[in-house]
DNA sequence: TACACGTGGGT
DNA sequence: TACCCAAGTGT
C-alpha cells in the first residue's frame, strides 16, 4: 500500500462514517419492493418460495422470473410435489428461462431436501446442496431463516465497490467485496438487510446513473464523495466468442403434422433440452454441405437462417425442412411429437426460432413462455399445404412469429 | 482462475 | 447494431 494512514492527517470535513445497517433498514421499510416471493412485513417466509425464487433469479431479471415463478408454484405447490415430479416436467416448466442446469439442480436439490426432511438452516448446510453456491446459501439462510449471513450478488458487489471505492476489477475483487459486505451485516434483521442491499442496488445504486441523492448511504459512500460512483465496480473487459454455424432439420410428418425431435445430452450446452435434429455447430461449418448431416432422406428445402446469441458465442443455424410420409419411423434416439404436445417439450429459445421459421406458424410452442403471450395462442397444427413441387426461393418472413427474430442476412 | 452456461430488455 | 446487464454455479 502506498498510502499510510498519515496521509489523512488534515481534517476531513466529512469524517467518512461507517455505513450503518440501521439507516438502510429505515429506507427499506419505506421503499421495499413488493415481490411475489417476498413475505409480507412481519410474516414468516416460506423457505421453498425463497429458495425457488433465488434459483430463478440467478443471472435473471425480476421481470423475467415473475411469470415463471407463478407458474412453477401452480404446478409444484410445495417441495414434495417438485421432488416427486418427472424430470421432464421440471425442464418443461423451466423452458425459456435459460441456464438449464439450474432446473436440473433444482430438481436434485428438491429430492435431497425432501429426503433430509427439510432445508438446512445454515450457510454451511445449504452450501452443500446442488445449485446452491455462496450467494444463494447466504440469501436463503438470511431471508428464510433470518441468519446473519451475507448474500453477495451483483447488486451487493456494486454497492460495496462504491461504498469503499474498491479499485480492484471484477471478477478478481469478489473475495475482497465479500469481506467488506460481511462487515456490514447486522445481528438485527439480517434477512431484511440482505433484501435491502439488493433493493438498493436494483433501484438506486444502479449500474448507470445511480440516484445518489436518494440513497440512505450517500454519506458514508466513498465513491460518491469522490464523484466517481459511475466508474464502479471496475471490470475487466470480456472477449466475444467466435460465430458458430450449423444446420437444423425440421421434419414434419404427413397426416398428423408431428415434428421430429430429440433430447440433447443431459449435461453441457442446453443439457436435457429438446431440439429438432441439428448438425454439429462449428466455426468452420459449411452450410453448402449441410444435407450430409440430415437425419433422414427426404426432399429438403432450405428456408433461411436463424441467429441466436449465447453468453459466450453467437450461433447461426441454417434451417431445412422436409415433409415425410405418415408411416415414417423416427431415427434412433428421436421421436415424433404431435403439434398438441409441442407445448410440453422443453424447447430452448434458439430451437423455437428454428421451428418457427420452418413452420411459419406460431404453433403454441412450449407453453412455457407464458409471460409474453398476452393474446390467445392458438395451437394451429400446421396445415398440410400442397407439396412444394419445386423448392421455392428461401424467403424472408414478412411477419415475425412471436419468438422468432427477423431472419435476415445482411 | 477461467470458462461454460440462456435469455430478454435497456441504451 | 452492439453491448451491457440481471438475486451465480459448477468444473
Amino acid at each position: 500500500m502506498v498510502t499510510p494512514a498519515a496521509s489523512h492527517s488534515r481534517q476531513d470535513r466529512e469524517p467518512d462514517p461507517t455505513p450503518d445497517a440501521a439507516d438502510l433498514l429505515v429506507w427499506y421499510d419505506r421503499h421495499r419492493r413488493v415481490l411475489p416471493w417476498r413475505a409480507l412485513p412481519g410474516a414468516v417466509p416460506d423457505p421453498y418460495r425463497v429458495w425457488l425464487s433465488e434459483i430463478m433469479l440467478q443471472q435473471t431479471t425480476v421481470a423475467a422470473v415473475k411469470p415463471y415463478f407463478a407458474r412453477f408454484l401452480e404446478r409444484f405447490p410445495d417441495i414434495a410435489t417438485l421432488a416427486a415430479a418427472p424430470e421432464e416436467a421440471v425442464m418443461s416448466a423451466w423452458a425459456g428461462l435459460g441456464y438449464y442446469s439450474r432446473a436440473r439442480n433444482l430438481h436434485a436439490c428438491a429430492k435431497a431436501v425432501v429426503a433430509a426432511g427439510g432445508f438446512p438452516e445454515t450457510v454451511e448446510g445449504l452450501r452443500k446442496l446442488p445449485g446452491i453456491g455462496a450467494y444463494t446459501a447466504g440469501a436463503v439462510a438470511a431471508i428464510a431463516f433470518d441468519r446473519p449471513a451475507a448474500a453477495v450478488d451483483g447488486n451487493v458487489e456494486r454497492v460495496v465497490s462504491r461504498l469503499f471505492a474498491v479499485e480492484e476489477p471484477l471478477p478478481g475483487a469478489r473475495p475482497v467485496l465479500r469481506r467488506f459486505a460481511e462487515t456490514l451485516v447486522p445481528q438485527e434483521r439480517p434477512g431484511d438487510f440482505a433484501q435491502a442491499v439488493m433493493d438498493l442496488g436494483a433501484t438506486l445504486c444502479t449500474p448507470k446513473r445511480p440516484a445518489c441523492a436518494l440513497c440512505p448511504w450517500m454519506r458514508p459512500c466513498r465513491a460518491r464523495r469522490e464523484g466517481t460512483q459511475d466508474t464502479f465496480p471496475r471490470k475487466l473487459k470480456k472477449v466475444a466468442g467466435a460465430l458458430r454455424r450449423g444446420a437444423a432439420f425440421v421434419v414434419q410428418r404427413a397426416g398428423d403434422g408431428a415434428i421430429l425431435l430429440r433430447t440433447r445430452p443431459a449435461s453441457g450446452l442446453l443439457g436435457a433440452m429438446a431440439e429438432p435434429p441439428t448438425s454439429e455447430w462449428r466455426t468452420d461449418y459449411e452450410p453448402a454441405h449441410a444435407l450430409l448431416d440430415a437425419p433422414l432422406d427426404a426432399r429438403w428445402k432450405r428456408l433461411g437462417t436463424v441467429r441466436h446469441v449465447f453468453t459466450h458465442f453467437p450461433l447461426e443455424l441454417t434451417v431445412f425442412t422436409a415433409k415425410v410420409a405418415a408411416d415414417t419411423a423416427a431415427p434412433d434416439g428421436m421421436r415424433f411429437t404431435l403439434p398438441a404436445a409441442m407445448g410440453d417439450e422443453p424447447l430452448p429459445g434458439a430451437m423455437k426460432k428454428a421451428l418457427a421459421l420452418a413452420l411459419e406458424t406460431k404453433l403454441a410452442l412450449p407453453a412455457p413462455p407464458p409471460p409474453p403471450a398476452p393474446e390467445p395462442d392458438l395451437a394451429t397444427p400446421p396445415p398440410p399445404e400442397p407439396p412444394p413441387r419445386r423448392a421455392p426461393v428461401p424467403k424472408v418472413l414478412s411477419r415475425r412469429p412471436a419468438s422468432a427474430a427477423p431472419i435476415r442476412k445482411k
Side-chain angles (χ1 to χ4, degrees):
Chain A
M1 288 294 99
V2 177
T3 315
S7 71
H8 284 307
S9 54
R10 123 176 99 60
Q11 293 299 76
D12 288 323
R13 285 172 318 183
E14 296 190 30
D16 201 291
T18 295
D20 187 347
D23 292 334
L24 180 63
L25 286 168
V26 167
W27 171 84
Y28 180 69
D29 287 336
R30 182 173 172 76
H31 300 289
R32 54 179 287 166
R33 289 177 293 173
V34 176
L35 299 169
W37 43 85
R38 206 116 102 170
L40 266 22
V44 178
D46 174 1
Y48 174 60
R49 295 183 181 221
V50 172
W51 163 72
L52 176 60
S53 68
E54 289 302 338
I55 301 297
M56 287 188 164
L57 287 162
Q58 287 168 8
Q59 298 290 284
T60 309
T61 59
V62 166
V65 166
K66 278 182 178 173
Y68 279 85
F69 181 78
R71 231 161 154 274
F72 230 83
L73 273 189
E74 268 178 42
R75 212 154 159 185
F76 313 107
D78 52 64
I79 196 165
T81 305
L82 177 59
E87 168 108 332
E88 205 210 284
V90 178
M91 299 310 293
S92 182
W94 198 277
L97 242 198
Y99 283 133
Y100 300 102
S101 65
R102 289 185 298 172
R104 299 193 294 273
N105 285 150
L106 182 87
H107 197 207
C109 184
K111 291 178 179 174
V113 169
V114 168
F119 278 98
E121 299 190 7
T122 64
V123 168
E124 309 76 60
L126 288 160
R127 187 67 186 73
K128 294 177 181 139
L129 292 166
I132 296 187
Y135 161 74
T136 305
V140 173
I143 300 170
F145 303 114
D146 214 30
R147 303 273 176 148
V152 188
D153 70 337
N155 285 311
V156 180
E157 288 177 348
R158 184 169 57 254
V159 170
V160 171
S161 70
R162 287 171 175 166
L163 232 30
F164 300 97
V166 176
E167 291 295 337
E168 187 180 353
L170 286 171
R174 292 194 72 180
V176 182
L177 294 173
R178 164 166 279 280
R179 243 167 280 139
F180 273 123
E182 286 169 346
T183 67
L184 300 175
V185 177
Q187 291 301 124
E188 299 293 317
R189 303 177 62 191
D192 283 342
F193 178 80
Q195 297 174 91
V197 189
M198 288 189 275
D199 274 17
L200 183 69
T203 64
L204 296 185
C205 197
T206 49
K208 292 163 192 164
R209 314 220 266 151
C212 299
L214 302 176
C215 182
W217 276 347
M218 179 176 77
R219 200 76 31 177
C221 183
R222 181 167 170 187
R224 163 65 183 180
R225 184 165 55 257
E226 298 172 355
T228 56
Q229 63 270 197
D230 286 316
T231 70
F232 293 97
R234 307 279 199 236
K235 291 188 180 182
L236 261 24
K237 63 282 181 194
K238 55 205 80 163
V239 292
L243 171 70
R244 297 185 203 178
R245 284 183 241 260
F249 302 94
V250 180
V251 179
Q252 187 165 196
R253 194 164 63 184
D256 59 11
I259 304 296
L260 186 65
L261 296 180
R262 66 182 179 189
T263 297
R264 295 177 59 88
S267 61
L269 182 68
L270 304 177
M273 299 296 282
E275 65 177 4
T278 77
S279 67
E280 281 188 274
W281 308 345
R282 314 166 57 85
T283 55
D284 58 354
Y285 191 75
E286 184 42 73
H289 304 155
L291 291 188
L292 295 175
D293 299 316
L296 44 71
D297 283 323
R299 255 181 100 80
W300 292 105
K301 183 166 61 166
R302 181 184 181 286
L303 292 181
T305 63
V306 292
R307 293 168 180 283
H308 190 79
V309 181
F310 293 100
T311 309
H312 48 303
F313 69 90
L315 171 68
E316 183 179 292
L317 286 176
T318 300
V319 180
F320 293 84
T321 188
K323 290 194 170 62
V324 299
D327 61 354
T328 303
D332 277 356
M334 303 186 196
R335 60 182 178 278
F336 277 104
T337 297
L338 292 169
M342 288 296 281
D344 293 327
E345 293 283 2
L347 291 161
M351 300 308 165
K352 280 187 240 172
K353 288 180 189 174
L355 287 168
L357 174 57
L359 304 176
E360 284 196 7
T361 307
K362 58 175 89 170
L363 75 177
L365 281 178
E375 53 198 354
D377 215 15
L378 54 174
T380 314
E385 48 195 48
R389 16 194 123 27
R390 301 210 286 91
V393 179
K395 60 164 188 175
V396 171
L397 289 184
S398 49
R399 66 169 196 288
R400 55 189 70 155
S403 63
I407 320 301
R408 56 178 134 62
K409 308 204 54 169
K410 268 312 290 270

